[in-house]
Amino acid sequence: MSLKAKTKKLVKDKAARAVEITPDFPSRINIEPTNRCNLRCRMCPRQDLTRPVGEINMALFDKLAEEISRQAPVEVRLHKDGEPLKNPQIFDLIEHIKTAAPSTLLNMDTNALLLDEEKAVKILDSRLDILLFSINAATADTYMKVRGSKKFAQAVENIERFLALRSERGYVWPRVKVQLIVMEDTKNEVGLFREQWQDYEVDILLIPAINWGGYRPEVGSLMRMPSRRYPCTFLWNSFSINWDGKVSFCNVDFNHLGIIGDVNDQTIEEIWKGPEFERFRNLHKQGRWQEIDLCRDCNYWAYTKNVWYQSSRKGWL
């Protein structure tokens, strides 16, 4: 490689690292409105759920929104485990955070089964930026197989109505994404899924299945894994808040297996810079992920960019 090419690559690598490594405050924050759900999906670890089920307290959400407002712009995703539309205050949450921090890039995921016309209109009238529809099938048979529901037609109909209402109003927001999780059960429907949604004003996402920290190896993920493992960059840019205020070091922590703090008593910044989070980061930089229950057999790290280089003496830097 020529000196000019090496210099160009170094500049590019440094730019990527600056985006992915955010030492002062997370660039992406998941806030869980609720972990209640109306589906029991095959690729989800919900069947093993033992942590309490509930909805986030509005006073706690106010506290989070206020802190985020001082750090904006930040990407906030109103989702972790569960179906956000199961929280009766979901529209209050959307309105509150966009009022407190207007520059927040606000995302929400939904399976669309609860998205009747009234809720569709409320979302369109809100300031939500991105709405992701988690469909994960292109046929009723596959939907039943992976989602355990016979309501495939209802989900599609609800999404189509939402898109029609958005078009009638002349809106371009929220930006809409439709998602298919690609795994053994769905891999043969990739083409059909594209065909079904290609004529709509949506982004089509084909997402390799994750194994939820090794707790769902049977989903048959088709993810192409890098030849060599590197630290999971999510630990340096993402923050996951459960509905009860407990903070997980990783978004795949469905069962309070990796709690590092509690925003009821601490700030996001305190936890982000705190010793518990730093302990997990250091284990990753030392290549000792086998010592972490949620990381040992995980494939989620492969979603992240490799912005690291390895030192024989200091591990990953």
Side-chain angles (χ1 to χ4, degrees):
M1 185 183 294
S2 68
L3 179 60
K4 183 178 180 180
K6 286 182 179 178
T7 302
K8 186 176 180 180
K9 182 178 184 302
L10 180 62
V11 170
K12 184 178 179 182
D13 288 348
K14 283 187 175 180
R17 185 176 176 87
V19 171
E20 298 299 325
I21 306 296
T22 55
D24 294 327
F25 200 77
S27 57
R28 307 179 191 113
I29 301 175
N30 281 74
I31 304 177
E32 184 177 67
T34 181
N35 62 341
R36 300 187 193 279
C37 194
N38 52 341
L39 289 174
R40 293 294 182 271
C41 300
R42 183 172 181 271
M43 60 282 194
C44 176
R46 190 166 193 84
Q47 59 190 279
D48 297 326
L49 188 70
T50 57
R51 71 178 172 107
V53 174
E55 292 83 33
I56 193 166
N57 178 277
M58 190 54 109
L60 174 60
F61 191 82
D62 288 349
K63 175 178 181 283
L64 298 172
E66 194 279 328
E67 183 178 4
I68 290 168
S69 74
R70 291 185 271 109
Q71 300 286 346
V74 173
E75 180 180 351
V76 173
R77 187 180 176 195
L78 289 177
H79 179 74
K80 185 177 174 288
D81 306 321
E83 166 54 49
L85 292 179
K86 291 285 284 183
N87 185 326
Q89 292 184 298
I90 188 63
F91 301 107
D92 294 328
L93 301 181
I94 293 171
E95 177 62 24
H96 188 77
I97 197 160
K98 290 297 283 188
T99 298
S103 62
T104 296
L105 180 65
L106 188 60
N107 293 253
M108 188 174 79
D109 295 11
T110 177
N111 58 42
L113 288 177
L114 301 177
L115 189 66
D116 56 24
E117 186 167 349
E118 180 183 359
K119 290 186 178 70
V121 169
K122 284 184 176 181
I123 290 176
L124 288 167
D125 287 341
S126 75
R127 289 181 283 173
L128 187 70
D129 295 298
I130 299 173
L131 182 60
L132 185 147
F133 290 117
S134 183
I135 307 172
N136 300 328
T139 64
D141 286 345
T142 298
Y143 193 81
M144 179 65 196
K145 187 173 185 180
V146 301
R147 311 220 74 166
S149 171
K150 297 179 180 180
K151 296 180 178 180
F152 174 71
Q154 179 184 326
V156 172
E157 183 180 312
N158 288 350
I159 297 168
E160 289 177 335
R161 180 178 56 223
F162 179 86
L163 294 171
L165 287 167
R166 187 182 66 165
S167 179
E168 287 171 11
R169 290 165 173 243
Y171 293 174
V172 294
W173 301 105
R175 180 178 175 182
V176 173
K177 302 180 181 183
V178 292
Q179 174 183 280
L180 175 72
I181 294 178
V182 182
M183 53 188 179
E184 284 295 332
D185 291 331
T186 63
K187 66 180 182 181
N188 294 326
E189 295 193 355
V190 169
L192 181 57
F193 188 80
R194 285 184 183 275
E195 186 179 314
Q196 286 175 342
W197 297 104
Q198 64 184 1
D199 294 330
Y200 293 91
E201 291 294 322
V202 299
D203 296 331
I204 298 172
L205 302 184
L206 304 172
I207 307 296
I210 63 172
N211 65 13
W212 290 90
Y215 282 83
R216 274 294 170 275
E218 70 275 15
V219 300
S221 175
L222 303 178
M223 185 185 296
R224 292 183 179 180
M225 302 298 289
S227 58
R228 183 174 60 164
R229 186 163 181 174
Y230 48 83
C232 180
T233 314
F234 284 137
L235 293 173
W236 281 264
N237 57 39
S238 298
F239 198 81
S240 297
I241 304 170
N242 298 291
W243 70 265
D244 56 3
K246 290 184 170 59
V247 176
S248 298
F249 78 86
C250 179
N251 194 44
V252 304
D253 180 18
F254 64 96
N255 234 0
H256 283 177
L257 300 173
I259 298 302
I260 55 171
D262 190 330
V263 288
N264 287 290
D265 307 312
Q266 301 165 275
T267 66
I268 295 172
E269 185 176 10
E270 285 171 347
I271 298 170
W272 182 247
K273 296 179 178 179
E276 278 301 299
F277 216 151
E278 200 59 26
R279 182 172 69 86
F280 285 108
R281 292 185 184 119
N282 285 333
L283 285 171
H284 268 251
K285 287 199 294 186
Q286 294 164 17
R288 295 164 58 192
W289 31 74
Q290 74 279 359
E291 298 177 27
I292 309 171
D293 181 56
L294 277 170
C295 302
R296 187 180 306 114
D297 300 312
C298 186
N299 65 355
Y300 197 38
W301 63 272
Y303 271 96
T304 72
K305 290 183 180 180
N306 184 3
V307 295
W308 307 93
Y309 65 92
Q310 196 166 22
S311 165
S312 58
R313 290 180 301 155
K314 297 183 179 180
W316 294 89
L317 301 172

